[in-house]
């Protein structure tokens, strides 16, 4: 499978699109029913000034996993009511496997062969998929379109619409050596505003005055990033800053970043955060100009001991010479391939790479994606957000009627209110006056 891909949202302008095949303007689709915004943009691209849309070419994927939240379907054309009920039941199972999220590969056979469909059949299959999703109260978002052997294929995210007052929480522990840019990238991801190169973004993350003065995290802090049903950033701070209550109310999925200390004298604090805050994933931040240092290896060892799926973010690529950046990537890849780690490094350069990484992290955890980013220029931060949008929360299913369990992380006093307890809800629920 080739690794370049076209994002439907940037189909004609994305610089990463490599011509691999074209769709004739005469095959412009006529979609029954209402199309999503992404589909409308794709369809309008075919008709715009006689230009042809360009898709990534793909001949085969890995075979369909028997477990997990990924489902392959060659076509979904006019199923009978009995067949439709079976498909709906299958969708419910895939959604349960992905904690309310599933990836559907339309036009792909069970063995992973990307056969493809004509544009009309593909749009009819997507219409059937939307009908299935409507019966289980889910939302359909096309992620990308690819060119198969005989036609086009579509990769689609199906996300269960959360009930009022509920949301999916993906918890990510952010670790790495001191001065690697952990707090800065969290500040950029959670506000949508780029850093100025002088610590503007991290000032929104620090909790204590001495952290602002030194520029180094010494405590455990949490920041959230809200995503809507289409995966768009809710707390975009371009106009104003949103409160956590507003973010949660407007989000279908909340990414909780657990910002941890990088200095060696705070290693106990970092270990406490990685064990007590119940992260589902570990994001290891590496400074491109610094390379893989000793504390990076220490944090990586803790994450491996906790069996956390790993993603790596190389920061400061805008200020790093190319030869130093390549050396950092080589060193990181060598560590990941070593006998004690045994991961497959994947340098993420396109949306297709993101989808491949999300499938692995959701199932066998063998792939370790590596992002090359800059908090100043914003390079590839959209790919980091896309991966976090696709990753399912890693929580154990609760038994019906299980008692509530709350892990206390912090306590503090609020004037006029009194004592306030902050922490993590492990299972169950707690209401006012509950025992």
């Amino acid at each position: 499978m080739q690794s370049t891909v076209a994002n439907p949202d940037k189909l004609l302008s994305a610089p990463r699109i490599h011509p691999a095949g074209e769709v004739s303007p005469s095959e412009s689709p006529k979609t029954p029913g209402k199309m999503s915004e992404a589909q409308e943009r794709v369809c309008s691209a075919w008709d715009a000034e006689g230009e042809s849309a360009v898709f990534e070419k793909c001949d085969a994927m890995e075979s369909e996993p028997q477990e997990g939240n990924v489902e392959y379907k060659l076509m979904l054309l006019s199923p009978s009511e009995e067949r439709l009920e079976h498909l709906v039941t299958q969708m419910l199972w895939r959604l349960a496997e992905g904690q309310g999220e599933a990836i559907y590969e339309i036009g792909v056979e069970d063995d992973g062969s990307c056969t493809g469909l004509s544009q009309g059949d593909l749009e009819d299959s997507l219409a059937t998929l939307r009908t299935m999703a409507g019966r289980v109260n889910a939302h359909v978002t096309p992620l990308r379109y690819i060119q198969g052997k005989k036609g086009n294929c579509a990769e689609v995210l199906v996300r269960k619409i959360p009930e009022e007052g509920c949301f999916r929480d993906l918890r990510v522990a952010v670790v790495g050596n001191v001065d690697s840019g952990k707090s800065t990238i969290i500040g950029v991801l959670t506000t949508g505003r780029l850093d100025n190169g002088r610590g503007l973004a991290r000032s929104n993350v620090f909790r204590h005055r001495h952290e602002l003065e030194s520029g180094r995290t010494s405590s455990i802090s949490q920041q959230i990033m809200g995503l809507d049903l289409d995966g768009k950033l809710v707390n975009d701070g371009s106009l104003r800053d949103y409160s956590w209550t507003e973010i949660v109310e407007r989000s279908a999925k909340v990414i909780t970043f657990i910002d941890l200390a990088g200095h060696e004298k705070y290693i106990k604090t970092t270990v406490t955060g990685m064990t007590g805050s119940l992260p589902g994933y570990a994001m290891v931040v590496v400074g491109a100009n610094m390379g893989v240092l000793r504390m990076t290896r220490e944090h990586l060892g803790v994450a491996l001991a906790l069996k956390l799926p790993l993603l790596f973010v190389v920061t400061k690529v805008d200020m790093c010479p190319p030869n130093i950046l390549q050396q950092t990537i080589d060193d990181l890849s060598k560590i990941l391939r070593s006998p004690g780690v045994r991961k497959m490094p994947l340098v993420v350069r396109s949306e297709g790479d993101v989808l491949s990484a999300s499938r692995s992290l959701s199932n066998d955890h063998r792939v370790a994606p590596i992002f090359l980013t800059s908090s100043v220029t914003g390079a590839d931060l959209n790919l980091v957000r896309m991966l976090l949008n696709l990753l399912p929360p890693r929580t154990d299913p609760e038994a019906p009627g299980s008692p509530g369990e709350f892990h206390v992380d912090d306590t503090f006093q609020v004037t006029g209110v009194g004592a306030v307890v902050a922490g993590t809800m492990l299972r169950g629920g707690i209401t006012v006056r509950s025992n």
Side-chain angles (χ1 to χ4, degrees):
M1 175 178 175
Q2 299 177 5
S3 60
T4 52
V5 61
N7 185 338
D9 289 16
K10 304 175 182 177
L11 195 56
L12 296 180
S13 59
R16 294 192 184 278
I17 297 176
H18 289 217
E22 297 184 348
V23 178
S24 171
S26 64
E27 297 179 2
S28 179
K30 298 181 180 179
T31 307
K34 184 178 179 181
M35 294 187 296
S36 67
E37 293 181 4
Q39 290 172 317
E40 289 175 353
R41 283 192 288 271
V42 172
C43 294
S44 63
W46 283 318
D47 299 326
E49 301 179 0
E51 293 182 348
S52 297
V54 180
F55 297 102
E56 176 198 5
K57 187 174 182 180
C58 175
D59 293 328
M61 301 179 179
E62 293 183 359
S63 299
E64 180 186 47
Q66 296 301 315
E67 299 180 353
N69 67 333
V70 180
E71 179 68 29
Y72 294 177
K73 290 296 179 189
L74 179 59
M75 62 181 68
L76 297 169
L77 299 178
S78 304
S80 63
E81 185 61 30
E82 182 180 357
R83 172 63 175 164
L84 188 61
E85 287 296 328
H86 173 75
L87 292 171
V88 169
T89 302
Q90 190 178 55
M91 176 177 284
L92 282 172
W93 184 76
R94 290 295 187 185
L95 288 171
E97 286 285 289
Q99 301 291 327
E101 298 174 350
I103 302 293
Y104 270 71
E105 309 281 357
I106 307 299
V108 181
E109 301 188 44
D110 290 345
D111 62 358
S113 300
C114 298
T115 302
L117 301 171
S118 66
Q119 193 56 39
D121 287 346
L122 181 60
E123 292 298 336
D124 288 345
S125 296
L126 290 173
T128 301
L129 189 65
R130 291 194 294 272
T131 300
M132 295 160 50
R135 294 198 179 189
V136 299
N137 194 31
H139 181 78
V140 172
T141 303
L143 298 174
R144 67 166 179 167
Y145 295 82
I146 56 180
Q147 183 186 23
K149 299 176 182 177
K150 300 180 181 179
N152 298 322
C153 308
E155 292 187 278
V156 183
L157 171 65
V158 180
R159 172 170 286 164
K160 201 92 161 61
I161 299 175
E163 299 177 0
E164 185 177 356
C166 299
F167 61 91
R168 277 172 287 278
D169 185 21
L170 182 74
R171 303 179 64 79
V172 181
V174 183
V175 297
N177 194 74
V178 65
D179 297 332
S180 60
K182 300 184 297 298
S183 300
T184 298
I185 196 170
I186 291 175
V188 172
L189 289 173
T190 56
T191 63
R193 294 191 295 261
L194 295 177
D195 186 46
N196 62 354
R198 297 185 296 275
L200 175 65
R202 70 189 182 196
S203 64
N204 299 317
V205 178
F206 288 151
R207 300 177 58 189
H208 305 292
R209 180 181 295 275
H210 69 267
E211 292 180 331
L212 287 170
E213 294 172 350
S214 66
R216 295 177 175 178
T217 303
S218 63
S219 60
I220 303 171
S221 67
Q222 299 188 17
Q223 302 293 325
I224 63 173
M225 177 177 70
L227 301 172
D228 62 15
L229 288 171
D230 289 315
K232 296 179 181 178
L233 183 64
V234 168
N235 46 319
D236 184 356
S238 56
L239 298 177
R240 69 179 181 90
D241 292 327
Y242 293 96
S243 67
W244 280 28
T245 302
E246 292 176 304
I247 295 171
V248 170
E249 288 177 348
R250 300 173 57 191
S251 300
K253 185 175 186 177
V254 174
I255 315 298
T256 301
F257 293 103
I258 306 165
D259 187 22
L260 301 173
H263 199 281
E264 61 180 331
K265 70 178 179 179
Y266 302 121
I267 184 63
K268 291 183 179 179
T269 301
T270 300
V271 172
T272 299
M274 295 184 70
T275 55
S277 300
L278 293 184
Y281 300 85
M283 185 168 83
V284 183
V285 180
V286 180
N289 58 335
M290 301 167 61
V292 183
L293 301 178
R294 186 172 68 87
M295 289 310 299
T296 306
R297 298 171 187 266
E298 293 286 346
H299 294 171
L300 176 58
V302 175
L304 290 171
L306 295 174
K307 298 181 179 180
L308 296 177
L310 300 169
L311 57 144
F312 293 81
V313 178
V314 179
T315 59
K316 307 180 184 181
V317 297
D318 58 306
M319 59 180 291
C320 182
N323 62 316
I324 302 299
L325 174 60
Q326 187 59 51
Q327 183 63 46
T328 299
I329 296 173
D330 293 343
D331 291 345
L332 190 55
S333 299
K334 183 178 179 181
I335 293 173
L336 292 175
R337 293 192 181 100
S338 63
V341 182
R342 302 180 69 178
K343 299 286 185 181
M344 185 185 303
L346 171 64
V347 179
V348 178
R349 302 186 186 276
S350 67
E351 287 88 349
D353 294 337
V354 173
L355 288 164
S356 299
S358 68
R359 281 193 291 265
S360 176
L361 290 175
S362 302
N363 295 295
D364 52 25
H365 311 161
R366 288 184 303 170
V367 170
I370 302 173
F371 296 88
L372 308 180
T373 69
S374 169
S375 297
V376 175
T377 66
D380 284 356
L381 291 179
N382 61 314
L383 299 180
V384 178
R385 283 199 187 96
M386 182 179 180
L387 178 65
L388 296 174
N389 176 48
L390 296 178
L391 290 178
R394 297 182 68 238
T395 56
D396 296 328
E398 298 179 7
S402 59
E405 183 178 350
F406 183 78
H407 186 282
V408 178
D409 295 329
D410 200 359
T411 60
F412 49 92
Q413 294 286 332
V414 177
T415 304
V417 176
V420 176
V421 178
T424 305
M425 196 73 209
L426 302 183
R427 60 178 59 86
I430 296 177
T431 59
V432 178
R433 297 186 180 87
S434 61
N435 295 321

